[in-house]
Amino acid sequence: MFLQITASSDARLVASAVRRGLRPFVMTARGLGWAAIALALLLQVVVGGSYLTLVLVGALIAVGIPMLLINAGTRDALRDGDLTTYEITDGGVASSSLASRHAYAWNAFQFVEEAPGQLIFGRSRTRFLPIPTGTLTPAQIEQVLGTAAGHGLRVRRA
């Protein structure tokens, strides 16, 4: 199998991949923030007084930290916004642009996730390689997912 895809970085697709990768961290921050807000409201009802500082801290944790993580991750991923060529072979996945070339054997990945408009090859929860699928047919996408599964990767379908 050999597939070659050439595409520019799409900020929307990259942001979607970053959100998917950071989902556990974002959900934890949101949960902690909402817990702080709930605690402030509970204290206000039970004890009385104003706990505006705790509400603001909770809002910062629930909204600010996820925004910061996602924006920083997206900016970092878009830093090499050049035209990129992706190659998917029986040996693994490679990406190359004017600035760099990276090649990964299949065992370097833990999973591959089919997402709208892209395949996300995950090395860890926060390290991944998103590959746009706009030029691929459904049969080619299935071939890539089948090859990944054949090499022991967890495959998550859309």
Side-chain angles (χ1 to χ4, degrees), residues 65-103:
I65 290 177
M67 284 177 50
L68 179 70
L69 288 172
I70 292 168
N71 289 340
T74 302
R75 272 194 311 275
D76 187 43
L78 288 173
R79 188 175 311 139
D80 296 330
D82 300 332
L83 194 62
T84 303
T85 299
Y86 303 95
E87 297 172 0
I88 303 171
T89 67
D90 288 326
V93 180
S95 68
S96 59
S97 67
L98 292 175
S100 64
R101 174 159 174 79
H102 302 279

Side-chain angles (χ1 to χ4, degrees), residues 5-84:
I5 304 158
T6 301
S8 293
S9 294
D10 182 342
R12 184 183 55 81
L13 292 177
V14 170
S16 171
V18 169
R19 277 192 301 276
R20 286 173 181 268
L22 293 176
R23 186 178 304 140
F25 302 111
V26 168
M27 296 306 289
T28 300
R30 286 184 179 156
L32 290 172
W34 283 110
I37 292 170
L39 177 63
L41 294 175
L42 180 67
L43 286 172
Q44 184 175 3
V45 169
V46 173
V47 178
S50 177
Y51 294 91
L52 183 59
T53 304
L54 189 55
V55 169
L56 293 176
V57 168
L60 177 65
I61 293 170
V63 177
I65 290 177
M67 284 177 50
L68 179 70
L69 288 172
I70 292 168
N71 289 340
T74 302
R75 272 194 311 275
D76 187 43
L78 288 173
R79 188 175 311 139
D80 296 330
D82 300 332
L83 194 62
T84 303

